[in-house]
Amino acid sequence: MISSAPSSSTASVPGHALSGRSVSIVGSGACVPARVLTNSDLEKIVETSDEWITTRTGIKERRIAAQDEFTSDLATQAARRAMAAAGVAADQIDLIIVATITPDMVFPSTACLVQQKLGASRAAAFDLEAACSGFIYGMEIGQQFVRSGTYHTVLVIGAEKLSSVVDWQDRNTCVLFGDGAGAVILQHRPGSRGLLTTVMGADGDKSKLLYMPGGGSRCPATTQSVMSRLHFLRMEGRETFKHAVQAMISAATEALRRCQLEISQIKCIIPHQANRRILDAVGERLGAKPEQLFCNLDRYGNTSAASVAIALDEAARAGRMQRGDLVLLVVFGAGLTWGAVVIEW
Ligand code: ACO
């Protein structure tokens, strides 16, 4: 269904006028694999301890996909739950965006595989890569299509099987990541202002802080590249930590400024779930109360593009926000990339 008539309930944000129809999240869903990998399990794989992981990161366990369970499977399941919550059928979806750094294959896109699994035959579909910021980048792109009237219903998914690119010999990184997917359905909802503003940013100068050297056109797979462990992610943790805190604070501050809001007016802050110490530092520097912050990284670790998508769904289902409440999402990831969104729920 293609709708072109602009609606009367245009979202108007002081200091950052938005034109076109308002766009709301009308349903969300999430999916994590059944297998739980605890910190004690990791003690048997690398030289680490539950105590180190808990105090340095806040992570207690993470989910790991089965060998025959792929990013598209997690994405499809999360999408089905979001569609059920929104009351949307597969043939109503106009566009599918999948944010991921762990697609099933380099091509075709995971979004096309999800489109096939859902039977969403009317939908256009593409993948988007902005690492941990991908879901917010995806929501911003998706909402533009709804706002302009080009599309009526957009499905945005953040999905990862990070266990497939984690170096299980590197204790610096393997303890941090997990697998999962989260999804939202974007539509115009009459009488609701929905997504109020989105901030996005990037800094390619710092691309080497967090990257995977092998597998692309620069370093295709060879026996040598596999032997040199180039097909696993690499991260300079301490530097990444510093930039994560700075970028998330400035993105959140800019988003609040555009909406002329104080942090105290936000009901629920959902940050990218990378490290408890990052969440606490960001919350503290923004002047937020601990009860405003949503945190589930103790159970899932860092699921990159899926992180805020899963957290958003859990927060909504837990009743952390009610219709009309203000929600702030703030993310940071490889690229470097970052972003923040203010939503009237
Ligand atoms: N178990 C035990 N010891 C460990 C482990 C481990 N799993 N990992 C590292 N150590 C050791 C290190 O070897 C080091 O030992 P050394 O002093 O003898 O060299 C020591 O612990 C301290 O290491 P640091 O790197 O200083 O530890 P830090 O306190 O910085 O914590 C961490 C590391 C958790 C990685 C942190 O830096 C972090 O969270 N960084 C940010 C990650 C992030 O935000 N990523 C976001 C983007 S993710 C994306 O886009 C996909």
Side-chain angles (χ1 to χ4, degrees), residues 97-103 126-141 156-160 162 177 198-204 206-207 210-212 240 247-248 272 302-308 330-340:
I97 302 173
V98 174
T100 186
I101 56 169
T102 48
F126 65 86
D127 283 3
L128 179 159
E129 204 272 80
C132 302
S133 308
F135 182 68
I136 279 187
Y137 271 59
M139 279 215 302
E140 172 60 5
I141 293 166
V156 183
I157 306 170
E160 303 286 8
L162 289 172
F177 299 99
T198 303
V199 172
M200 298 191 295
D203 181 2
K206 303 189 178 62
S207 56
L210 179 51
Y211 72 117
M212 192 167 87
T240 307
M248 287 167 83
H272 172 48
N302 180 349
T303 57
S304 192
S307 160
V308 284
V330 54
V331 293
F332 175 83
L336 301 176
T337 54
W338 56 85

Side-chain angles (χ1 to χ4, degrees), residues 57-182:
T57 73
I59 301 164
K60 297 297 284 182
E61 58 187 44
R62 67 287 293 142
R63 300 299 182 98
I64 304 294
Q67 268 194 346
D68 61 352
E69 190 176 26
F70 311 116
T71 298
S72 64
D73 297 318
L74 301 170
T76 302
Q77 194 55 27
R80 286 202 179 107
R81 289 176 184 156
M83 288 158 63
V88 160
D91 64 1
Q92 287 176 266
I93 299 170
D94 298 304
L95 174 65
I96 301 171
I97 302 173
V98 174
T100 186
I101 56 169
T102 48
D104 285 24
M105 295 170 264
V106 172
F107 70 91
S109 70
T110 299
C112 282
L113 305 179
V114 171
Q115 187 243 27
Q116 185 269 332
K117 287 179 188 186
L118 291 175
S121 52
R122 285 183 55 255
F126 65 86
D127 283 3
L128 179 159
E129 204 272 80
C132 302
S133 308
F135 182 68
I136 279 187
Y137 271 59
M139 279 215 302
E140 172 60 5
I141 293 166
Q143 71 103 9
Q144 294 288 350
F145 282 101
V146 179
R147 191 173 296 282
S148 66
T150 304
Y151 290 140
H152 185 269
T153 303
V154 175
L155 167 62
V156 183
I157 306 170
E160 303 286 8
K161 184 175 176 177
L162 289 172
S163 57
S164 65
V165 295
V166 157
D167 185 346
W168 294 100
Q169 294 180 12
D170 177 14
R171 70 174 182 174
N172 290 291
T173 52
C174 76
V175 303
L176 303 173
F177 299 99
D179 302 333

